[in-house]
């Protein structure tokens, strides 16, 4: 089995910062792209940022210049540093990872349980 465990969410004032972490564990042979998605109340899930296994990153326009995604391949962990937070960043944030469990297997998408980020004064 594979698990993605997120941490780091919470309540922060506008202009503040938070750092999310997501650690993958279990039967893992290789991890491809990893990313963060978010879902605000009444809205669909949207991509926030992604990072390939070689470190190439991609960001939603709404977070460019404020959020930074990174990963530690030795720890099977992806991070999201969020700065200059705005009330519109309020959402449940989900970690996603494309994981191959066996040497001859395929990559499948796995999801974390979600962590709440609330930006409010």
């Amino acid at each position: 089995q594979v698990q993605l465990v997120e941490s780091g969410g919470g309540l922060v004032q506008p202009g503040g910062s938070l750092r999310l972490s997501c650690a993958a564990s279990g039967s893992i042979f290789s991890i491809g792209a990893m990313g963060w998605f978010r879902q605000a109340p009444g809205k669909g899930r949207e991509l926030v940022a992604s990072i390939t296994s070689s470190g190439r990153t991609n960001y939603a326009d709404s977070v460019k210049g404020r959020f930074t995604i990174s990963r530690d391949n030795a720890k099977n962990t992806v991070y999201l540093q969020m700065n200059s937070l705005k009330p519109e960043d309020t959402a449940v944030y989900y970690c996603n990872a494309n994981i191959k469990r066996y040497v001859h297997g395929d990559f499948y998408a796995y999801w974390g349980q979600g962590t709440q980020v609330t930006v409010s004064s």
Side-chain angles (χ1 to χ4, degrees):
Q1 292 184 345
V2 171
Q3 281 190 318
L4 299 182
V5 179
E6 299 146 344
S7 60
L11 172 64
V12 63
Q13 292 186 342
S17 298
L18 282 175
R19 188 191 194 211
L20 305 182
S21 300
C22 172
S25 63
S27 178
I28 296 172
F29 175 76
S30 177
I31 302 179
M34 304 180 81
W36 291 93
F37 290 71
R38 67 186 180 187
Q39 187 165 17
K43 295 187 177 181
R45 190 172 296 190
E46 64 173 356
L47 174 68
V48 176
S50 64
I51 183 167
T52 67
S53 57
S54 59
R56 188 170 67 249
T57 60
N58 179 56
Y59 295 93
D61 288 342
S62 59
V63 306
K64 282 181 181 177
R66 300 188 298 121
F67 291 10
T68 302
I69 189 170
S70 61
R71 63 190 285 171
D72 184 334
N73 291 331
K75 295 181 179 180
N76 290 340
T77 299
V78 63
Y79 306 96
L80 186 68
Q81 178 65 45
M82 304 184 293
N83 298 328
S84 302
L85 282 160
K86 304 175 180 180
E88 51 263 43
D89 294 318
T90 295
V92 178
Y93 284 70
Y94 296 91
C95 169
N96 168 269
N98 293 292
I99 295 174
K100 177 188 286 191
R101 296 185 60 193
Y102 311 104
V103 62
H104 297 298
D106 294 323
F107 282 96
Y108 291 94
Y110 291 85
W111 293 88
Q113 79 283 0
T115 185
Q116 177 70 46
V117 171
T118 302
V119 184
S120 175
S121 55

